[in-house]
Every structure is written in C-alpha cells, then in structure tokens.
Amino acid sequence: MSVWNWYHLNPAGMNHFQWVYGETPMSDLSIIYTSWVAYFIVIISVRWYMAERTRIDKTHKVLQFYNGSMIICSTFVWYTSSISIWNIVRHQPGIFSYCHAAQYPAYHQYGGQMFYSMYICYLLRYYVFFDTVILALRKKSIPFLHWYQHMFVILMLWSWIQDQSIFGSLATAIISFVQMFRYCYYFCNSTNSMATAAWVKNVVLFFEIIQFIAGITLTGYQMSICPQSNCVLLSASINVTMVYMVVKFYDSNEKAVATTREHYIRRNSSKKELMEL
C-alpha cells in the first residue's frame, strides 16, 4: 500500500492509464482475499447487531444516496468504456481477434481509457459490497448466489485487467450498462416511485437476460480463440458455476418461472393442492 501510485485514480490521466501490479491502488491479489474476509465479518456483525433491532426502512436516506451514487458511477464506467471501444473499432477494426491488449497495434494509443474504465469498474465492485450490508440492515435473507456473485466478480474483473483482456472491455460496458438500470430500479424503490419502478424493473429483467446470454456467448468465443488465457479459464469457470446456481435458484423458487419439467410439474402440483384445501 505504501508503494501505490494514487495518480492512477486520476480521471484526467485515463488516456495514459497503465495497470501495474503492486503499484496501481488495489491491484494486489491479497487485497481481494482480505476484502472477502472483511466482507464476511462485517455482514455477520451487522446481522448480529440487527437481531434485536428494527430493520431500516427502504426509504432511508443512506439507501437513496447509495443507489444514486451507484447510478452515477455506473454511468461513468459505461460511458468511458463504450467511448474507448468505439474509438478503437472506428480507427482499427478487428480488435476482438486479439486475446490480449499488448498484441493489438493501436493499444498504446487507445488502450489507456479502455483499461481505466475496467479498473474503475473493478474498484466499484468493492463499493457494491454495500448491497449485502443493506440486505443485512433490512433483515432480508442473503442467498448463496448473492455471496458468490459479489465475491467472485471482483476476482474475475481483476483477472481481466491483469491479463490485459480486450474482451473484458466489452464485458465491462455491458455490466455497467445493466447496472445503471438496476440501481435506477433500486433508487425508485427507495424513493417510493412505484409507478416508475414497475416499468424499470421490466427493463432490468430484459437487459439482465441479454447480459446473461452475452456473457455465455462472449466466454465461449474467448475460449475458441484464447484457450490458454488464464482470465478466460477463470471467467469460464465462474460463469458456468453461476449459470448452474441461477438455474438451481429458480428451480427451487416456486414463484419463479419453471426452468425444468420437474419444476413445472412440482409447481403446478403445489397450486392444485392449494386449490383443493
């Protein structure tokens, strides 16, 4: 931490940004491991603290501030990542035929902003840990899928930057775009704008499905042209695991859309039994 170069955080220097392990703030892998431990300790402590207390209201000012700040940060990441990708594609097409940025001829000219947006997205994932704190303060259940996603997406983003993955820039743009709408929905909920929240929720669900499909497609394409890339193997492992957990989560949720024939039969049987009571 004492050798971190804090200038790397300066947006004014994003065009010349360069990730240097151990020098760029929060680039050490030990930071991720430490954050996981702290994450568990904080959430367990908050749940213990709230055990005998009334949960905070969803319209609490802290929640409104958090959701609003996430909208602003996500918009910034989406804008910078999208602009950088557009500039690269416009000046020299064929970017996605390369595995790593260092192989790309125009990297030194346009790569700084691209990786800066990925870096900010990576830092933002530490802030997103507050999602779980909110669930604990609201005394809501925290499914394992939530824990897994919040912990391992950080590691995945770190691997993209460390491995200088060009595909990570496109994934960052997609993630931040969907994130904008997700936190718009949360913000509407926290301000009791229920009419707006209703249609925003539908938009979020639609974009999350698109993100889900795009993530699987992009990972598959990466594996076809970069089979030896460490970040691709890690991304594939995390994505496959998340797909499995999402399916299992919806399969166990009787209110969700049926994802398997067994789920469909079980759900309809439950409805029939309730009607007969």
Side-chain angles (χ1 to χ4, degrees):
M1 187 177 295
S2 59
V3 297
W4 285 354
N5 185 352
W6 295 99
Y7 179 76
H8 288 192
L9 293 170
N10 187 0
M14 70 170 69
N15 292 328
H16 306 289
F17 174 80
Q18 187 174 3
W19 169 276
V20 180
Y21 183 85
E23 182 179 332
T24 303
M26 308 291 283
S27 61
D28 307 72
L29 197 55
S30 59
I31 296 296
I32 296 179
Y33 300 147
T34 304
S35 72
W36 288 350
V37 175
Y39 180 47
F40 273 107
I41 293 174
V42 169
I43 299 305
I44 292 172
S45 300
V46 172
R47 290 181 72 90
W48 176 82
Y49 175 80
M50 294 298 296
E52 302 297 330
R53 290 172 173 81
T54 305
R55 67 178 185 176
I56 67 170
D57 190 74
K58 69 175 183 178
T59 59
H60 198 282
K61 296 297 182 183
V62 172
L63 273 63
Q64 295 177 11
F65 172 81
Y66 170 68
N67 293 325
S69 63
M70 279 299 301
I71 294 172
I72 295 172
C73 293
S74 299
T75 302
F76 173 76
V77 172
W78 170 74
Y79 177 78
T80 53
S81 58
S82 299
I83 289 296
S84 63
I85 293 172
W86 167 248
N87 285 333
I88 290 175
V89 172
R90 182 163 56 93
H91 287 88
Q92 189 171 353
I95 179 176
F96 296 111
S97 61
Y98 298 91
C99 294
H100 309 289
Q103 301 171 328
Y104 185 61
Y107 165 68
H108 296 290
Q109 186 176 0
Y110 303 108
Q113 185 177 358
M114 180 175 71
F115 280 95
Y116 180 80
S117 64
M118 293 169 64
Y119 174 56
I120 297 301
C121 186
Y122 162 72
L123 294 180
L124 201 57
R125 296 307 302 186
Y126 289 98
Y127 187 39
V128 171
F129 278 158
F130 197 66
D131 280 356
T132 318
V133 176
I134 291 174
L135 290 178
L137 290 172
R138 296 268 298 142
K139 304 180 79 168
K140 299 284 188 178
S141 61
I142 306 174
F144 179 74
L145 176 61
H146 177 94
W147 291 97
Y148 184 87
Q149 182 183 28
H150 279 64
M151 290 173 60
F152 284 95
V153 167
I154 284 183
L155 183 61
M156 187 165 63
L157 284 165
W158 178 90
S159 71
W160 292 347
I161 308 173
Q162 179 66 20
D163 213 31
Q164 293 189 323
S165 171
I166 289 178
F167 293 94
S169 61
L170 180 58
T172 298
I174 295 172
I175 290 171
S176 55
F177 180 76
V178 176
Q179 207 164 246
M180 281 192 305
F181 287 94
R182 183 184 299 124
Y183 284 95
C184 279
Y185 168 67
Y186 294 155
F187 183 79
C188 290
N189 262 341
S190 64
T191 55
N192 273 333
S193 304
M194 305 312 296
T196 305
W199 71 264
V200 173
K201 181 179 180 180
N202 293 328
V203 173
V204 172
L205 289 174
F206 173 75
F207 282 135
E208 284 186 337
I209 293 172
I210 298 299
Q211 178 187 355
F212 196 66
I213 296 172
I216 296 173
T217 304
L218 194 59
T219 301
Y221 179 68
Q222 280 182 280
M223 293 189 71
S224 67
I225 66 171
C226 313
Q228 302 301 320
S229 174
N230 292 329
C231 73
V232 173
L233 296 175
L234 178 63
S235 297
S237 301
I238 293 174
N239 283 330
V240 168
T241 308
M242 286 184 62
V243 168
Y244 173 77
M245 286 194 292
V246 166
V247 171
K248 294 296 291 183
F249 174 78
Y250 278 97
D251 188 46
S252 62
N253 188 350
E254 299 302 333
K255 295 181 180 180
V257 177
T259 55
T260 64
R261 179 175 176 80
E262 290 76 13
H263 182 196
Y264 178 80
I265 295 173
R266 185 173 69 250
R267 189 186 64 180
N268 286 347
S269 298
S270 299
K271 288 181 179 179
K272 186 176 180 180
E273 290 174 1
L274 287 173
M275 291 177 65
E276 291 175 351
L277 291 176

